[in-house]
Amino acid sequence: MLHRHFLLHKPHGYLSQFIYEKKRHKKLLGALYPFPEGTMAIGRLDEDSEGLLLLTTDGMMSELMRSNTVEKEYYAQVDGMITDEAIVMLANGVEIGFKGLRYTTKPCKAQIISALPSCIGEGRRIRDARHGPTSWIALTLTEGKFRQVRKMTAAVGFPTLRLVRVRVGNNRLRFPSGVVEEVSSFF
């Protein structure tokens, strides 16, 4: 069987799934592109997050890409002007809640970023300047606990306002929101 692989710039407000069985109406990935039957998202981005999402018809590829050896890079717009001290704390690992327990995140790469790539764009309006400044950081992780980046930034006193995944492994976000690109492989 010939498998198919896709890169998607998931917009804000969509679920990273094709079926939703609860009563509330939700925007699903199938509304963005006519994906073939059996397509699955590799990892997830929550409804409020956006950015690079990999999709495949190959379950083994999904397992490989979700492993803790594959880096995932996120850009997070945080509330306030983040400090160098907070960046060091993020890089060294911080304590967050996970499944009702305290968990210390693995060390990661963390840095302040000053310019966003054009593919991210302005995005939705988070708030206006009268509510105070915001700043952007880049975090590169090899793990992916539930809402981990949001919990990490909150733990150091700078809650996430906007979250965009920009890279999974060697795959980079390079096109605008809602665009799908079919690729021959993720490697």
Side-chain angles (χ1 to χ4, degrees):
M1 174 182 187
L2 182 63
H3 289 289
R4 295 177 68 188
H5 313 289
F6 304 89
L7 304 176
L8 164 67
H9 185 157
K10 184 190 102 48
H12 173 269
Y14 280 79
L15 294 180
S16 295
Q17 57 196 62
F18 292 93
I19 299 170
Y20 184 74
E21 296 180 356
K22 301 210 168 127
K23 294 186 182 195
R24 297 182 328 191
H25 175 71
K26 296 287 186 175
K27 295 178 189 175
L28 304 176
L29 296 179
L32 295 171
Y33 185 82
F35 293 103
E37 188 174 330
T39 300
M40 65 193 89
I42 298 175
R44 292 189 177 221
L45 289 172
D46 65 32
E47 186 175 9
D48 293 328
S49 299
E50 55 194 287
L52 185 62
L53 187 63
L54 280 57
L55 299 110
T56 186
T57 58
D58 183 356
M60 291 302 293
M61 180 66 69
S62 178
E63 286 297 314
L64 286 170
M65 294 304 291
R66 284 192 323 221
S67 78
N68 62 8
T69 61
V70 176
E71 289 184 337
K72 292 93 178 164
E73 183 177 3
Y74 300 85
Y75 285 3
Q77 182 181 24
V78 297
D79 186 9
M81 298 306 293
I82 197 160
T83 63
D84 291 335
E85 177 185 56
I87 291 293
V88 170
M89 291 169 64
L90 288 166
N92 290 332
V94 296
E95 189 175 276
I96 63 172
F98 178 67
K99 293 187 175 181
L101 302 172
R102 300 309 294 165
Y103 174 79
T104 301
T105 60
K106 293 179 181 175
C108 68
K109 297 175 192 167
Q111 64 183 22
I112 298 171
I113 53 176
S114 56
L116 297 175
S118 61
C119 61
I120 290 180
E122 290 294 317
R124 70 192 194 290
R125 185 175 176 90
I126 301 295
R127 63 182 192 197
D128 58 39
R130 69 181 168 199
H131 292 101
T134 66
S135 52
W136 283 88
I137 63 171
L139 292 173
T140 303
L141 314 173
T142 56
E143 59 183 342
K145 305 291 184 214
F146 179 72
R147 298 180 70 88
Q148 180 173 338
V149 171
R150 293 179 188 281
K151 291 176 182 180
M152 288 173 70
T153 63
V156 298
F158 296 89
T160 296
L161 301 172
R162 185 175 173 209
L163 183 60
V164 183
R165 183 163 51 201
V166 295
R167 184 172 63 86
V168 176
N170 295 325
N171 302 283
R172 286 203 158 277
L173 186 63
R174 58 183 178 270
F175 37 80
S177 183
V179 172
V180 176
E181 178 182 318
E182 188 163 0
V183 295
S184 59
S185 174
F186 296 128
F187 294 101

